[in-house]
Amino acid sequence: MSKGARKRQHYEEKKQACERVRLVEKRYHRYACVLATVSVLLCALTMAVQIFTLQSISAGEQTAEAAAILSSAVPMGILAVILVSGGTLLASCLLFARKEPLSAIGVALLLIGAAFLAVFIGALAECFPFKEIITGTTVREVGLNFNKLFLRHGTAFFPPLFLFIAQGFGLAALKKRELAAVMDPDKSASTVTLGE
């Protein structure tokens, strides 16, 4: 085999290895985009439930003790909805645009919003404790038990979970993209030629 043929074969092997890395990067980016989309859809559903809850609390009548607790919890709930929604949208858009390091800002906003949401849910559990009222032969349930709290409010923690996984795939795609840029034989060949 001549020297030129060996160089061409070596070049083709490098090109194929670079293409394999690029295919893995595209697959990771696709996973990140799918998970970010799922996160946005889940966020829209769960935040709609939170907004409905906030409106029904504002419209309903509470005892003086519950009103005192909710007076500080409702602003936290509103702030949680804004931060979780904004953080999810920002992080998802940045993941789609392949700006993975910047999407950490959206994730940070999302974490702060999730903390406010946890405080809001705790206040709801305190204000509306679960009780069974027995009147004659019927049993009526009043308040929020664990199942109701989880279904109405706990599911709001799923969008951050999906977004964390999407962020992981996005960062893995970024590493593969950087590796492919280093492995690209066309760029390395032109750099060597310029250096000589």
PDB file of all heavy atoms in Angstrom, residues 31-48:
ATOM      1  N   TYR A  31     -33.117  13.366  22.261  1.00  0.00           N
ATOM      2  CA  TYR A  31     -33.666  12.954  23.561  1.00  0.00           C
ATOM      3  C   TYR A  31     -33.929  14.174  24.443  1.00  0.00           C
ATOM      4  O   TYR A  31     -34.968  14.273  25.098  1.00  0.00           O
ATOM      5  CB  TYR A  31     -32.714  12.009  24.296  1.00  0.00           C
ATOM      6  CG  TYR A  31     -32.537  10.651  23.671  1.00  0.00           C
ATOM      7  CD1 TYR A  31     -31.432   9.875  23.990  1.00  0.00           C
ATOM      8  CD2 TYR A  31     -33.455  10.131  22.760  1.00  0.00           C
ATOM      9  CE1 TYR A  31     -31.249   8.628  23.434  1.00  0.00           C
ATOM     10  CE2 TYR A  31     -33.272   8.885  22.196  1.00  0.00           C
ATOM     11  CZ  TYR A  31     -32.161   8.130  22.541  1.00  0.00           C
ATOM     12  OH  TYR A  31     -31.984   6.893  21.993  1.00  0.00           O
ATOM     13  N   ALA A  32     -32.975  15.103  24.451  1.00  0.00           N
ATOM     14  CA  ALA A  32     -33.139  16.318  25.265  1.00  0.00           C
ATOM     15  C   ALA A  32     -34.341  17.120  24.796  1.00  0.00           C
ATOM     16  O   ALA A  32     -35.118  17.625  25.615  1.00  0.00           O
ATOM     17  CB  ALA A  32     -31.864  17.170  25.204  1.00  0.00           C
ATOM     18  N   CYS A  33     -34.529  17.218  23.488  1.00  0.00           N
ATOM     19  CA  CYS A  33     -35.664  17.985  22.948  1.00  0.00           C
ATOM     20  C   CYS A  33     -36.996  17.320  23.278  1.00  0.00           C
ATOM     21  O   CYS A  33     -37.968  17.996  23.638  1.00  0.00           O
ATOM     22  CB  CYS A  33     -35.519  18.156  21.438  1.00  0.00           C
ATOM     23  SG  CYS A  33     -34.182  19.275  20.980  1.00  0.00           S
ATOM     24  N   VAL A  34     -37.056  15.996  23.168  1.00  0.00           N
ATOM     25  CA  VAL A  34     -38.297  15.279  23.490  1.00  0.00           C
ATOM     26  C   VAL A  34     -38.640  15.449  24.967  1.00  0.00           C
ATOM     27  O   VAL A  34     -39.787  15.750  25.328  1.00  0.00           O
ATOM     28  CB  VAL A  34     -38.170  13.778  23.111  1.00  0.00           C
ATOM     29  CG1 VAL A  34     -39.301  12.961  23.715  1.00  0.00           C
ATOM     30  CG2 VAL A  34     -38.143  13.615  21.603  1.00  0.00           C
ATOM     31  N   LEU A  35     -37.653  15.276  25.833  1.00  0.00           N
ATOM     32  CA  LEU A  35     -37.907  15.422  27.270  1.00  0.00           C
ATOM     33  C   LEU A  35     -38.259  16.861  27.633  1.00  0.00           C
ATOM     34  O   LEU A  35     -39.103  17.095  28.500  1.00  0.00           O
ATOM     35  CB  LEU A  35     -36.690  14.955  28.071  1.00  0.00           C
ATOM     36  CG  LEU A  35     -36.489  13.437  28.100  1.00  0.00           C
ATOM     37  CD1 LEU A  35     -35.115  13.089  28.640  1.00  0.00           C
ATOM     38  CD2 LEU A  35     -37.565  12.771  28.929  1.00  0.00           C
ATOM     39  N   ALA A  36     -37.647  17.826  26.974  1.00  0.00           N
ATOM     40  CA  ALA A  36     -37.987  19.225  27.232  1.00  0.00           C
ATOM     41  C   ALA A  36     -39.416  19.519  26.789  1.00  0.00           C
ATOM     42  O   ALA A  36     -40.149  20.244  27.474  1.00  0.00           O
ATOM     43  CB  ALA A  36     -36.999  20.145  26.506  1.00  0.00           C
ATOM     44  N   THR A  37     -39.836  18.942  25.664  1.00  0.00           N
ATOM     45  CA  THR A  37     -41.211  19.125  25.197  1.00  0.00           C
ATOM     46  C   THR A  37     -42.204  18.507  26.183  1.00  0.00           C
ATOM     47  O   THR A  37     -43.224  19.130  26.511  1.00  0.00           O
ATOM     48  CB  THR A  37     -41.388  18.493  23.799  1.00  0.00           C
ATOM     49  OG1 THR A  37     -40.441  19.074  22.917  1.00  0.00           O
ATOM     50  CG2 THR A  37     -42.786  18.706  23.272  1.00  0.00           C
ATOM     51  N   VAL A  38     -41.903  17.303  26.649  1.00  0.00           N
ATOM     52  CA  VAL A  38     -42.761  16.652  27.649  1.00  0.00           C
ATOM     53  C   VAL A  38     -42.828  17.507  28.906  1.00  0.00           C
ATOM     54  O   VAL A  38     -43.895  17.684  29.504  1.00  0.00           O
ATOM     55  CB  VAL A  38     -42.241  15.227  27.967  1.00  0.00           C
ATOM     56  CG1 VAL A  38     -42.935  14.637  29.177  1.00  0.00           C
ATOM     57  CG2 VAL A  38     -42.432  14.318  26.766  1.00  0.00           C
ATOM     58  N   SER A  39     -41.698  18.066  29.296  1.00  0.00           N
ATOM     59  CA  SER A  39     -41.647  18.914  30.481  1.00  0.00           C
ATOM     60  C   SER A  39     -42.522  20.154  30.324  1.00  0.00           C
ATOM     61  O   SER A  39     -43.255  20.538  31.243  1.00  0.00           O
ATOM     62  CB  SER A  39     -40.203  19.317  30.763  1.00  0.00           C
ATOM     63  OG  SER A  39     -40.123  20.143  31.886  1.00  0.00           O
ATOM     64  N   VAL A  40     -42.489  20.780  29.149  1.00  0.00           N
ATOM     65  CA  VAL A  40     -43.308  21.977  28.901  1.00  0.00           C
ATOM     66  C   VAL A  40     -44.800  21.623  28.946  1.00  0.00           C
ATOM     67  O   VAL A  40     -45.605  22.345  29.546  1.00  0.00           O
ATOM     68  CB  VAL A  40     -42.928  22.633  27.559  1.00  0.00           C
ATOM     69  CG1 VAL A  40     -43.938  23.676  27.141  1.00  0.00           C
ATOM     70  CG2 VAL A  40     -41.550  23.267  27.666  1.00  0.00           C
ATOM     71  N   LEU A  41     -45.165  20.502  28.322  1.00  0.00           N
ATOM     72  CA  LEU A  41     -46.578  20.093  28.318  1.00  0.00           C
ATOM     73  C   LEU A  41     -47.067  19.766  29.730  1.00  0.00           C
ATOM     74  O   LEU A  41     -48.156  20.198  30.133  1.00  0.00           O
ATOM     75  CB  LEU A  41     -46.774  18.888  27.398  1.00  0.00           C
ATOM     76  CG  LEU A  41     -46.557  19.151  25.908  1.00  0.00           C
ATOM     77  CD1 LEU A  41     -46.638  17.859  25.115  1.00  0.00           C
ATOM     78  CD2 LEU A  41     -47.559  20.161  25.390  1.00  0.00           C
ATOM     79  N   LEU A  42     -46.261  19.026  30.483  1.00  0.00           N
ATOM     80  CA  LEU A  42     -46.625  18.717  31.870  1.00  0.00           C
ATOM     81  C   LEU A  42     -46.703  19.974  32.720  1.00  0.00           C
ATOM     82  O   LEU A  42     -47.586  20.112  33.568  1.00  0.00           O
ATOM     83  CB  LEU A  42     -45.609  17.754  32.489  1.00  0.00           C
ATOM     84  CG  LEU A  42     -45.772  16.280  32.172  1.00  0.00           C
ATOM     85  CD1 LEU A  42     -44.615  15.493  32.758  1.00  0.00           C
ATOM     86  CD2 LEU A  42     -47.086  15.759  32.719  1.00  0.00           C
ATOM     87  N   CYS A  43     -45.783  20.896  32.476  1.00  0.00           N
ATOM     88  CA  CYS A  43     -45.784  22.156  33.224  1.00  0.00           C
ATOM     89  C   CYS A  43     -47.063  22.934  32.943  1.00  0.00           C
ATOM     90  O   CYS A  43     -47.675  23.484  33.864  1.00  0.00           O
ATOM     91  CB  CYS A  43     -44.556  22.982  32.849  1.00  0.00           C
ATOM     92  SG  CYS A  43     -44.438  24.537  33.742  1.00  0.00           S
ATOM     93  N   ALA A  44     -47.492  22.969  31.686  1.00  0.00           N
ATOM     94  CA  ALA A  44     -48.727  23.690  31.348  1.00  0.00           C
ATOM     95  C   ALA A  44     -49.924  23.086  32.081  1.00  0.00           C
ATOM     96  O   ALA A  44     -50.755  23.815  32.638  1.00  0.00           O
ATOM     97  CB  ALA A  44     -48.957  23.656  29.837  1.00  0.00           C
ATOM     98  N   LEU A  45     -49.994  21.759  32.117  1.00  0.00           N
ATOM     99  CA  LEU A  45     -51.116  21.098  32.798  1.00  0.00           C
ATOM    100  C   LEU A  45     -51.080  21.326  34.301  1.00  0.00           C
ATOM    101  O   LEU A  45     -52.080  21.700  34.925  1.00  0.00           O
ATOM    102  CB  LEU A  45     -51.096  19.598  32.496  1.00  0.00           C
ATOM    103  CG  LEU A  45     -51.460  19.187  31.079  1.00  0.00           C
ATOM    104  CD1 LEU A  45     -51.210  17.705  30.879  1.00  0.00           C
ATOM    105  CD2 LEU A  45     -52.916  19.510  30.797  1.00  0.00           C
ATOM    106  N   THR A  46     -49.921  21.098  34.899  1.00  0.00           N
ATOM    107  CA  THR A  46     -49.839  21.196  36.358  1.00  0.00           C
ATOM    108  C   THR A  46     -49.945  22.645  36.840  1.00  0.00           C
ATOM    109  O   THR A  46     -50.523  22.889  37.896  1.00  0.00           O
ATOM    110  CB  THR A  46     -48.537  20.562  36.886  1.00  0.00           C
ATOM    111  OG1 THR A  46     -47.412  21.180  36.257  1.00  0.00           O
ATOM    112  CG2 THR A  46     -48.506  19.068  36.614  1.00  0.00           C
ATOM    113  N   MET A  47     -49.429  23.591  36.079  1.00  0.00           N
ATOM    114  CA  MET A  47     -49.552  24.987  36.496  1.00  0.00           C
ATOM    115  C   MET A  47     -50.985  25.489  36.322  1.00  0.00           C
ATOM    116  O   MET A  47     -51.440  26.356  37.070  1.00  0.00           O
ATOM    117  CB  MET A  47     -48.573  25.872  35.722  1.00  0.00           C
ATOM    118  CG  MET A  47     -47.124  25.662  36.102  1.00  0.00           C
ATOM    119  SD  MET A  47     -46.767  25.863  37.864  1.00  0.00           S
ATOM    120  CE  MET A  47     -46.331  24.200  38.330  1.00  0.00           C
ATOM    121  N   ALA A  48     -51.718  24.925  35.364  1.00  0.00           N
ATOM    122  CA  ALA A  48     -53.142  25.271  35.234  1.00  0.00           C
ATOM    123  C   ALA A  48     -53.900  24.850  36.490  1.00  0.00           C
ATOM    124  O   ALA A  48     -54.765  25.584  36.980  1.00  0.00           O
ATOM    125  CB  ALA A  48     -53.737  24.612  33.999  1.00  0.00           C
TER     126      ALA A  48
END
